[in-house]
Amino acid sequence: MSLQKIDGSDLTQMFLSGAHHLSNNAKNIDALNVFPVPDGDTGTNMNLTITSGANEVKQINSTNASVVAEAFAKGLLMGARGNSGVILSQIFRGFSKGLEKKEAVTSDELAKAFESGVSTAYNAVMKPVEGTILTVAKDSGNQAVAIAKKEKDIIQLMDQIVVEAKASLKRTPDLLPVLKEVGVVDSGGQGLVTIYEGFLAALKGEELTEDNSNIDMDEMINAEHHKVTQDFMDTSDIEYGYCTEFMVKFEDEKLAEHPFDETTFRNELSEHGDSLLVVSDDDLVKVHIHAEYPGDCLTMGQRYGSLVNMKIENMREQHTALVGNKSQVSTEKGNYAIVTVAMGKGLKELLESLGASVVIEGGQTMNPSTQDITDAIQQANAKNVLILPNNKNILMAADQAAELADENVRVVPTKTIPQGISAMLSFHPDANLDTNQQAMDEARKQVKTGQVTYAVRDTQIDGITIENGNFMGIEDGKIIATDPDKLETVKLLLNKMISEEDEILTILQGEDVEDKEVQILVEYIEETYEDIEIEVHNGNQPIYSYIFSVE
């Protein structure tokens, strides 16, 4: 079989096959996370990103290659989540530009489109790091250009692209020492290989192996949404505001402690919302629910295994847009607004009390998309908007949203909740946008962030041996302590974080921590660090039992 040219119909099948194959393997890509923390989400972010692109392609019916590529790129751009998702969107943004005004594509033109994608992605990243998805894209793109000079068969070209992408992926640990230390390949690179494998399968007319994680609930979800009745509701009548979907991949160790029973799980979830659907098999359970506090539902699911393929949508915002309800939005723009990101009822309330106009529910495991942040900017309804991502994996999506916005939007690159809080405290409503951005950026650099969570696998990193299930103390992104006991881990972490010059310690209590435990911790700190002032807030955040801010 030989294929000399492909058109929009062929590209459509390639894009859909790539998205489908990535969806089937998202949880495996999540598992490649370098740090053994329970928030490995590269596969999830890439899956949600490419699914947005695939959905855009499904809405058009064109044989024009440039039209299909442009639709795919647009969907990826607006659905981009996390750094890996943003980079993926940039790869196919450049790919689309390489196919402009082309109804059909030769092997040479396809290769140049891949090359264009690499250039666009590298230009989008301020400090490109080799040994990542960028390297895999570059190596396979270079191979494509070289092969296309002689090979006119597009199937053979794509086959060689996949071969080189896999070879490049295997080399990533040699380029990025932390990958070699942990013993994994780059997760983003693995995601790109998976997509390319889907492209090749479509060209060959092959179907890739199905995965049980592909349980399809779309029709049931549509039925539950009752869209016909929405025109007769007021936005304020929506009791449970977040459409929440997630899957739990069962883990034997967790099941031994919490045996799974679908009926029991369904009944427990029913107390947290409505429009509930629960579907399970031997390997996983998939959930759809309208809930007011999605984090509570996710925590319940985590008792049985790892969270994968999560999606949370604000139905109040969707309803307002659908019915044109202007009662919730002022027609006159304010001067300033702050848009920020947090997970946990307590953290949301804390940030709002400090002046946040819109708090996007998200963070670890649930990185908001470019579209989510763009929507929040519009909701903020201000002439000048400051975005605080509070997570390094949301920075690129925030930058992308700022570029797309009509308003004056600046991103303060906060990587943690404590940095976000410190930045907000330095905001002055009477100062201009540049001054505020600079002051808030300086403030976020002055705070030290500590986090305590648990390991999801055995590993060794930065000279520390970590056992599955043990607690870990993390200072500004680096694991510096581990112990089977949570409080002992906290003590080890704080001992390394707190210096004689520090004056204030803020404790953000996670949803799994009881008040009695916090009291024991506070008493220990008061005895050990006599000069430190202590503040305690119930953040209700998932994943991290404690978040500490030291200043």
Side-chain angles (χ1 to χ4, degrees):
M1 180 180 176
S2 178
L3 195 61
Q4 302 296 309
K5 277 192 173 185
I6 57 173
D7 62 11
S9 298
D10 299 313
L11 271 182
T12 295
Q13 294 307 310
M14 289 170 64
F15 292 152
L16 296 183
S17 178
H20 182 71
H21 193 39
L22 182 65
S23 176
N24 284 345
N25 289 276
K27 62 182 181 297
N28 297 324
I29 296 167
D30 282 341
L32 292 173
N33 189 31
V34 168
F35 285 164
V37 295
D39 62 355
D41 51 10
T42 298
T44 299
N45 284 335
M46 293 183 74
N47 179 36
L48 292 170
T49 300
I50 199 171
T51 297
S52 178
N55 288 339
E56 197 74 24
V57 168
K58 289 177 183 177
Q59 294 178 23
I60 64 172
N61 182 20
S62 177
T63 59
N64 187 306
S66 63
V67 171
V68 173
E70 183 179 0
F72 188 59
K74 176 186 175 183
L76 285 166
L77 179 70
M78 299 312 297
R81 295 173 186 263
N83 293 343
S84 56
V86 172
I87 293 173
L88 185 67
S89 73
Q90 292 298 320
I91 289 173
F92 284 100
R93 184 181 183 186
F95 180 91
S96 173
K97 289 180 180 179
L99 296 184
E100 281 182 344
K101 299 180 181 179
K102 291 182 172 61
E103 293 189 11
V105 183
T106 65
S107 65
D108 183 60
E109 290 168 335
L110 183 64
K112 289 179 179 177
F114 279 114
E115 185 180 45
S116 175
V118 172
S119 299
T120 301
Y122 267 87
N123 290 334
V125 179
M126 186 171 295
K127 295 181 180 179
V129 177
E130 298 301 337
T132 65
I133 182 176
L134 289 170
T135 305
V136 176
K138 178 182 66 177
D139 291 349
S140 56
N142 290 341
Q143 178 76 345
V145 172
I147 293 293
K149 292 178 181 179
K150 298 180 180 180
E151 182 59 69
K152 303 306 176 185
D153 181 4
I154 292 178
I155 295 177
Q156 291 299 318
L157 173 68
M158 196 68 230
D159 183 74
Q160 290 303 305
I161 290 174
V162 171
V163 169
E164 178 56 33
K166 288 181 177 179
S168 177
L169 179 66
K170 289 183 179 180
R171 294 192 293 266
T172 55
D174 295 327
L175 298 172
L176 206 54
V178 67
L179 296 176
K180 178 169 284 188
E181 183 179 4
V182 177
V184 296
V185 294
D186 179 67
S187 54
Q190 179 65 71
L192 188 63
V193 168
T194 303
I195 292 168
Y196 286 173
E197 287 177 334
F199 287 2
L200 178 60
L203 291 172
K204 289 182 175 182
E206 298 175 351
E207 288 192 17
L208 295 165
T209 305
E210 290 279 346
D211 187 298
N212 285 332
S213 63
N214 242 14
I215 298 172
D216 189 1
M217 295 174 66
D218 290 347
E219 291 304 317
M220 291 187 287
I221 289 169
N222 288 339
E224 291 293 337
H225 280 180
H226 305 297
K227 293 180 179 177
V228 176
T229 65
Q230 288 191 357
D231 286 335
F232 303 99
M233 297 170 57
D234 187 85
T235 302
S236 61
D237 293 333
I238 299 176
E239 182 178 2
Y240 300 106
Y242 296 91
C243 176
T244 305
E245 295 177 50
F246 63 94
M247 291 190 293
V248 179
K249 179 68 175 176
F250 293 141
E251 295 177 353
D252 292 339
E253 291 183 3
K254 290 188 175 182
L255 290 177
E257 185 175 354
H258 299 286
F260 178 79
D261 178 80
E262 183 176 309
T263 301
T264 302
F265 185 45
R266 183 183 292 108
N267 291 338
E268 290 176 339
L269 285 171
S270 67
E271 298 178 6
H272 294 263
D274 58 19
S275 299
L276 175 63
L277 293 166
V278 177
V279 179
S280 67
D281 62 13
D282 293 337
D283 299 315
L284 57 87
V285 58
K286 187 168 184 178
V287 175
H288 169 272
I289 186 172
H290 293 175
E292 188 61 18
Y293 301 108
D296 293 344
C297 301
L298 297 174
T299 299
M300 292 172 65
Q302 278 186 293
R303 293 179 302 182
Y304 307 110
S306 300
L307 297 172
V308 294
N309 291 13
M310 289 158 287
K311 183 175 74 172
I312 297 177
E313 296 177 341
N314 188 322
M315 294 189 298
R316 294 189 181 95
E317 290 184 16
Q318 291 177 337
H319 182 266
T320 298
L322 179 66
V323 302
N325 184 346
K326 302 300 182 182
S327 62
Q328 304 297 317
V329 182
S330 171
T331 56
E332 184 177 348
K333 288 188 174 183
N335 186 38
Y336 265 118
I338 295 176
V339 172
T340 188
V341 184
M343 178 60 71
K345 177 184 176 183
L347 291 183
K348 181 176 185 293
E349 292 176 349
L350 176 60
L351 291 170
E352 287 175 339
S353 71
L354 293 174
S357 309
V358 181
V359 180
I360 304 170
E361 181 136 7
Q364 301 305 126
T365 77
M366 285 184 293
N367 300 147
S369 68
T370 302
Q371 183 69 65
D372 293 334
I373 301 173
T374 299
D375 291 344
I377 293 170
Q378 293 175 350
Q379 181 186 347
N381 199 38
K383 299 174 185 176
N384 303 288
V385 180
L386 290 154
I387 304 176
L388 310 181
N390 298 341
N391 186 304
K392 66 179 182 181
N393 209 31
I394 303 174
L395 289 175
M396 293 184 71
D399 288 336
Q400 201 154 258
E403 291 177 8
L404 294 169
D406 295 329
E407 295 82 0
N408 294 319
V409 180
R410 300 290 173 81
V411 177
V412 180
T414 53
K415 298 179 180 179
T416 65
I417 292 293
Q419 286 188 6
I421 292 172
S422 181
M424 291 190 68
L425 290 171
S426 69
F427 171 75
H428 295 287
D430 296 330
N432 63 39
L433 188 60
D434 288 337
T435 301
N436 265 317
Q437 182 188 26
Q438 183 176 353
M440 295 170 80
D441 189 44
E442 285 301 317
R444 62 105 185 168
K445 295 176 183 177
Q446 305 307 313
V447 64
K448 291 182 283 188
T449 298
Q451 298 164 308
V452 173
T453 186
Y454 59 92
V456 295
R457 67 169 186 272
D458 294 339
T459 193
Q460 185 166 344
I461 188 169
D462 294 329
I464 297 177
T465 299
I466 303 165
E467 295 183 8
N468 183 23
N470 281 7
F471 290 93
M472 297 177 296
I474 304 170
E475 180 181 6
D476 290 323
K478 184 175 182 179
I479 301 171
I480 62 173
T482 182
D483 194 88
D485 182 75
K486 187 195 303 179
L487 280 177
E488 185 61 31
T489 303
V490 170
K491 293 175 183 179
L492 292 170
L493 174 64
L494 293 180
N495 184 50
K496 294 184 179 181
M497 284 186 67
I498 298 175
S499 65
E500 293 181 359
E501 293 78 21
D502 293 319
E503 299 174 349
I504 301 173
L505 169 65
T506 302
I507 303 173
L508 300 175
Q509 176 182 346
E511 62 183 2
D512 64 327
V513 177
E514 296 182 358
D515 293 341
K516 183 178 180 181
E517 181 181 306
V518 176
Q519 184 58 41
I520 293 172
L521 174 59
V522 169
E523 291 173 359
Y524 165 78
I525 295 170
E526 289 175 341
E527 293 175 0
T528 308
Y529 308 97
E530 296 179 357
D531 298 328
I532 202 90
E533 180 182 337
I534 305 170
E535 295 182 8
V536 180
H537 299 278
N538 193 347
N540 301 112
Q541 71 271 6
I543 298 177
Y544 292 101
S545 300
Y546 292 100
I547 298 176
F548 298 105
S549 170
V550 179
E551 298 177 84

